[in-house]
Amino acid sequence: NAGVMQNPRHLVRRRGQEARLRCSPMKGHSHVYWYRQLPEEGLKFMVYLQKENIIDESGMPKERFSAEFPKEGPSILRIQQVVRGDSAAYFCASSRNGRDSPLHFGNGTRLTVT
Amino acid sequence: EDQVTQSPEALRLQEGESSSLNCSYTVSGLRGLFWYRQDPGKGPEFLFTLYSAGEEKEKERLKATLTKKESFLHITAPKPEDSATYLCAVQGGRDDKIIFGKGTRLHILP
């Protein structure tokens, strides 16, 4: 009865490197969301995807950030040329029926940019 | 602008001391209000969904209620293991996003 799986749990990157964060949704879920959380801040929406489609990317920075959810395999959040301000916890969530059902979250990837 | 405001930011209670957490929201066309619990280093854990004013949901020592402007999470006779950050989220508005509040950090003293 696996929940939402995210890896890695912790990721350290130097400025200018690329970060790849992976998310496997719960079994039977085809809707994936990515959120970002900073200390003392709420969860900030980044992007909503279904298999092979980006539904809403209005929360994603226009540059350096991209997301995909291929037909096979996990969803990937990719951050190119990371900067210190990208350091945060990134959470993935999945749902069965999109925006009409609750989100179930993974335990996040904590990205630290040095 | 759609907003979710949670209060208080932090709350310390003695074990057994009941209290309520507040979530007030401004969103047009509310489709759902969600409560989550988040422990340090973990992702949010889903607790309840409320859809319409007057609705109530219960789970163990927690009860969530909803009005047209706010929701309350009532905690009855809490135990130390109830210590966590409680997050409120709403779905609705023009773009139907799910927006989170900043949470209430609850600490139950034994």
Side-chain angles (χ1 to χ4, degrees):
Chain A
N1 187 23
V4 177
M5 303 299 292
Q6 290 188 249
N7 66 81
R9 288 297 311 275
H10 301 274
L11 183 61
V12 179
R13 285 287 177 266
R14 292 198 186 96
R15 276 180 299 171
Q17 291 185 318
E18 178 178 289
R20 278 180 174 247
L21 288 60
R22 293 174 188 78
C23 169
S24 296
M26 281 180 71
K27 189 176 180 181
H29 288 194
S30 59
H31 301 256
V32 165
Y33 306 76
W34 286 93
Y35 282 79
R36 170 184 159 123
Q37 188 176 45
L38 289 165
E40 310 302 323
E41 294 288 326
L43 287 156
K44 300 295 184 188
F45 168 79
M46 298 182 74
V47 62
Y48 163 35
L49 311 104
Q50 282 182 263
K51 286 282 187 182
E52 300 185 277
N53 286 305
I54 296 174
I55 308 301
D56 181 352
E57 59 181 348
S58 57
M60 285 264 275
K62 294 283 186 282
E63 297 177 353
R64 301 188 298 108
F65 285 71
S66 62
E68 62 176 12
F69 188 17
K71 189 176 180 181
E72 300 292 336
S75 175
I76 306 286
L77 179 67
R78 182 182 176 207
I79 312 173
Q80 295 178 289
Q81 298 175 316
V82 295
V83 300
R84 288 223 171 100
D86 296 332
S87 296
Y90 292 84
F91 288 95
C92 170
S94 71
S95 71
R96 185 178 297 278
N97 297 320
R99 285 173 164 160
D100 288 333
S101 50
L103 305 182
H104 296 270
F105 284 83
N107 282 328
T109 292
R110 276 143 192 87
L111 172 66
T112 302
V113 179
T114 61
Chain B
E1 185 185 341
D2 299 333
Q3 274 194 326
V4 179
T5 303
Q6 291 189 247
S7 62
E9 288 185 15
L11 182 61
R12 291 166 71 92
L13 299 172
Q14 289 294 136
E15 183 173 1
E17 182 185 358
S18 302
S19 188
S20 297
L21 313 183
N22 177 264
C23 171
S24 62
Y25 60 91
T26 53
V27 64
S28 57
L30 178 76
R31 292 187 57 165
L33 185 142
F34 309 94
W35 282 98
Y36 288 83
R37 169 192 171 128
Q38 187 174 23
D39 292 292
K42 299 278 187 74
E45 175 190 345
F46 171 71
L47 294 173
F48 303 110
T49 307
L50 300 165
Y51 292 106
S52 56
E55 191 176 357
E56 297 184 353
K57 294 268 179 78
E58 276 189 74
K59 181 180 178 180
E60 295 181 356
R61 295 178 290 282
L62 299 176
K63 182 167 88 171
T65 61
L66 180 65
T67 71
K68 287 186 178 179
K69 295 290 184 190
E70 59 191 349
S71 175
F72 291 93
L73 184 66
H74 306 279
I75 302 178
T76 303
K79 298 181 178 181
E81 54 262 42
D82 295 322
S83 298
T85 296
Y86 289 85
L87 301 172
C88 171
V90 298
Q91 179 183 3
R94 282 181 304 153
D95 50 15
D96 212 25
K97 279 197 183 53
I98 298 175
I99 303 169
F100 281 82
K102 292 185 179 181
T104 293
R105 294 188 308 279
L106 178 65
H107 186 55
I108 308 299
L109 301 164

